């Protein structure tokens, strides 16, 4: 995919946010815990969700689209515990199937999954949790092979509040009678959305500060569940309004899930108005807001998935800024691309130091992960001339149903095209 953005247009109007990709993925994975029909509503139409649906079908689930964003998932044929490598390697979140398939079938096998190149992305906490629950797991020829030993509830401490590991343990423990306790769990809204689904399916889940209790059941049943709104996409559009200038309202979002971003935008001097299910940002564009300090941390800290977008914003702030990334060890690849657009950024390990510039300059840039793609698109909104964003692996579509179309509807001058073969070669050469 190629986006061409002509900078200098302010944004006005409303955008309605889809369901959260990072909630939909574990919710879909959880459907393997029952043969009954689970109906999921407000499922976003993005690449990663399509891949997860294909994975479910590959292990024996029948997935039917009932309405746009509404899917019925039930068991179509006997489930198998070994999804095809080709699909698993496309999606890091496919690893969430290891525990649920193992606890349902007694075995599962997955290669180490792929995903965004934002760091090593180990799975040690997933494996620690599953082994504590009685799974026997070993790596054989690049695969993780899990077998159900004497499955039992357990007390598991996570050295790091990993979102995926928390979800993996929750889903697996939901089918193991007894009380499993996770200490230091991830507290993200997407984790709590999964808890709500598991409760509807028959598990008992109680969340208290720093601990998550799961009362497992022998069997789990079908239900209906609506995916929460995507706070990262909501935040992306709010930052778009802030950087370009104008007046943008993001509808069907939950301000409570965006507190770290909203207070930061307010601190920079932007006008932010919160309503029950929408947020409005009013901005005079580049240079009209101050620089500041952003530290990406586990929820409820500032979301790492909005760190690249904030780097674009702070590139055109008044004065200097500091961005510290504490979640992923190498999530600054977008800094080099922003610098090619004229941003003044100095990297020292996990910290980026920025000096705001009056404006950026359009050029050709490359996308290497979903949120970096969003950040470069936002930077293009305020760059002189045309910014050509080359997204060879369609990263942006993995997380955004129609980023270009939504920005265009808000007033951006943006064109989306398929990539010509020669252009792809060009980016490889760079
Ligand atoms: C989820 O990834 C999100 N993906 C990511 O969003 C997000 O950046 C991340 O949480 C943090 O918020 C989905 O939900 C599908 P983690 P996940 O396990 O679960 C370390 C996007 O753009 N870690 O919380 O993989 C890990 O190395 C994506 O939508 C271990 O050390 O994140 C990292 O430093 C990008 N051992 C930190 O924890 C483990 O076993 C956060 O990882 C697991 C993780």
């Amino acid at each position: 995919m190629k986006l061409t953005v002509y900078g200098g247009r302010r944004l006005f109007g409303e955008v309605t946010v889809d369901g959260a990709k990072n909630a939909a993925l574990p919710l879909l994975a959880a459907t393997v815990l029952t043969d009954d029909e689970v109906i999921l509503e407000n499922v976003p139409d993005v690449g990663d969700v399509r891949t997860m649906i294909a994975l479910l079908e590959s292990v024996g689930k029948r997935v039917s689209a009932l309405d746009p964003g509404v899917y019925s998932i039930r068991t179509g044929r006997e489930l198998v515990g070994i999804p095809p490598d080709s699909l698993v390697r496309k999606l890091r979140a496919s690893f969430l199937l290891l525990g649920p398939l193992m606890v349902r079938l007694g075995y599962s096998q997955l290669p180490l999954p792929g995903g965004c190149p934002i760091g090593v992305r180990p799975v040690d906490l997933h494996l620690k949790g599953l082994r504590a629950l009685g799974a026997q797991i070993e790596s054989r020829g690049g695969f993780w092979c899990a077998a159900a030993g004497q499955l039992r509830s357990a007390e598991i401490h996570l050295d790091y509040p990993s979102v995926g590991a928390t979800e993996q343990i929750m889903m697996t423990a939901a089918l193991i009678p007894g009380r499993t306790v996770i200490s230091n769990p991830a507290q993200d809204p997407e984790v709590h959305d999964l808890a709500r689904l598991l409760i509807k399916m028959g598990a008992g889940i109680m969340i208290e500060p720093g601990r998550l209790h799961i009362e497992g059941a022998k069997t789990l049943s079908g239900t209906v569940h609506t995916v929460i709104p995507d706070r990262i996409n909501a935040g992306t559009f709010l930052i778009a309004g802030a950087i370009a200038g104008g007046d943008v309202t993001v509808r069907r979002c939950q301000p409570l899930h965006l507190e770290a971003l909203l207070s930061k935008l307010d601190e920079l001097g932007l006008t932010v108005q919160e309503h029950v299910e929408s947020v409005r940002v009013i901005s005079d564009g580049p240079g009209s807001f101050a620089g500041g300090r952003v530290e990406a941390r586990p929820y409820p800290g500032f979301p790492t998935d909005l760190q690249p977008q904030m780097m674009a914003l702070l590139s055109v702030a008044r004065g200097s800024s500091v961005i510290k990334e504490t979640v992923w060890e190498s999530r600054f690849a977008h800094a080099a691309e922003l610098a090619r657009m004229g941003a003044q950024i100095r990297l020292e390990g996990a910290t980026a130091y920025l000096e705001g510039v009056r404006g950026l300059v359009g050029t050709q840039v490359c996308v290497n992960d979903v949120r970096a793609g969003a950040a470069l698109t936002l930077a293009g909104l305020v760059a002189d001339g045309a910014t050509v964003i080359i997204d060879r692996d369609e990263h942006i579509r993995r997380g955004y149903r129609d980023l270009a179309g939504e920005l265009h509807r808000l007033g951006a001058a943006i064109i989306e095209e398929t990539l010509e073969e020669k252009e792809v070669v060009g980016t490889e050469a760079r």
Side-chain angles (χ1 to χ4, degrees):
M1 173 171 80
K2 172 170 94 171
L3 296 181
T4 304
V5 191
Y6 299 90
R9 306 276 287 266
R10 292 188 167 221
L11 303 184
F12 295 90
E14 299 187 349
V15 58
T16 299
V17 171
D18 294 339
K21 162 179 86 82
N22 290 351
L25 294 174
L27 294 171
L28 285 162
T31 63
V32 306
L33 295 170
T34 179
D35 288 332
D36 294 357
E37 180 181 44
V38 175
I39 292 180
L40 293 179
E41 300 170 335
N42 198 33
V43 176
D45 180 20
V46 294
D48 280 1
V49 165
R50 283 198 289 279
T51 303
M52 181 61 88
I53 287 172
L55 274 163
L56 293 181
E57 290 171 330
S58 75
V59 298
K61 299 299 277 187
R62 183 186 307 148
V63 184
S64 325
L66 302 180
D67 278 313
V70 182
Y71 290 90
S72 155
I73 304 112
R74 66 175 56 186
T75 295
R77 53 178 166 74
E78 193 175 343
L79 291 182
V80 295
I82 306 179
D85 298 6
S86 56
L87 285 174
V88 172
R89 294 189 195 284
K90 285 173 70 175
L91 178 65
R92 156 132 180 132
S94 52
F95 203 67
L96 292 174
L97 289 168
L98 187 75
L101 287 170
M102 181 276 299
V103 76
R104 262 315 297 281
L105 306 173
Y107 77 98
S108 60
Q109 177 179 303
L110 287 171
L112 257 181
C116 297
I118 56 176
V120 170
R121 309 195 76 172
V123 290
D124 58 310
L125 297 174
H126 293 246
L127 304 181
K128 172 184 178 182
L130 295 178
R131 285 176 174 137
L133 293 170
Q136 286 143 10
I137 303 182
E138 56 182 12
S139 72
R140 272 203 301 267
F143 289 87
W144 288 108
C145 304
Q150 287 300 318
L151 295 182
R152 57 183 180 273
S153 56
E155 292 244 351
I156 301 157
H157 176 76
L158 294 179
D159 299 339
Y160 184 92
S162 154
V163 171
T166 303
E167 292 165 345
Q168 178 93 247
I169 297 164
M170 282 167 73
M171 289 189 283
T172 307
L175 255 191
I176 300 175
R179 169 163 298 200
T180 291
V181 181
I182 307 173
S183 66
N184 193 30
Q187 305 171 50
D188 299 57
E190 295 76 21
V191 171
H192 294 177
D193 203 26
L194 175 62
R196 280 191 289 274
L197 171 70
L198 293 172
I199 290 169
K200 288 180 185 176
M201 292 172 73
I205 297 188
M206 200 265 286
I207 297 170
E208 60 178 349
R211 288 165 78 81
L212 197 155
H213 303 253
I214 303 112
E215 201 67 49
K218 273 190 179 310
T219 58
L220 294 171
S221 356
T223 186
V224 181
H225 185 76
T226 302
V227 182
I228 56 171
D230 193 315
R231 62 193 168 98
I232 302 303
N233 290 11
T236 302
F237 289 116
L238 290 169
I239 297 170
I243 194 171
D247 185 343
V248 169
T249 295
V250 175
R251 293 215 170 284
R252 212 167 60 194
C253 66
Q254 296 190 9
L256 178 68
H257 294 164
L258 284 159
E259 278 310 291
L261 171 67
L262 302 184
S263 65
K264 189 55 66 179
L265 293 178
D266 179 63
E267 186 188 304
L268 301 180
L270 288 148
T271 302
V272 178
Q273 294 171 357
E274 288 182 37
H275 303 283
V276 176
E277 286 203 329
S278 67
V279 180
R280 181 182 179 193
V281 64
I282 301 166
S283 165
D284 282 335
S288 70
F289 45 85
R293 178 180 176 83
V294 172
E295 193 163 314
R297 307 191 63 77
Y299 192 89
F302 190 92
T304 174
D305 293 347
L306 288 175
Q307 177 264 102
Q309 300 89 314
M310 279 306 279
M311 189 178 284
L313 179 70
L314 295 172
S315 298
V316 291
R318 262 194 336 275
S320 54
S321 298
V322 179
I323 298 179
K324 191 167 169 45
E325 172 59 66
T326 74
V327 175
W328 297 107
E329 79 269 13
S330 61
R331 193 177 202 163
F332 281 151
H334 46 282
E337 298 301 294
L338 289 169
R340 297 184 60 247
M341 297 175 70
Q344 298 296 310
I345 305 172
R346 178 170 53 84
L347 299 182
E348 276 181 26
T351 304
Y353 298 90
L354 294 90
E355 282 306 324
V357 294
R358 292 191 57 75
L360 299 173
V361 179
T363 183
Q364 178 169 302
V365 289
C366 285
V367 173
N368 68 4
D369 90 60
V370 51
R371 310 305 173 181
L376 293 169
T377 306
L378 300 192
L381 296 174
V382 293
D384 286 341
T387 301
V388 179
I389 296 158
I390 304 292
D391 184 5
R392 276 186 303 156
D393 300 325
E394 306 257 322
H395 283 296
I396 294 174
R397 277 203 188 291
R398 289 181 47 209
Y400 297 87
R401 174 174 52 79
D402 185 13
L403 180 64
E406 298 286 6
L407 291 173
H408 178 73
R409 273 184 282 283
L410 292 171
I414 186 167
I415 300 167
E416 179 179 322
E417 301 163 272
T418 51
L419 262 182
E420 301 296 325
E421 191 46 41
K422 65 180 183 311
E423 290 175 296
V424 176
V425 170
T427 50
E428 271 157 358
R430 228 173 42 68

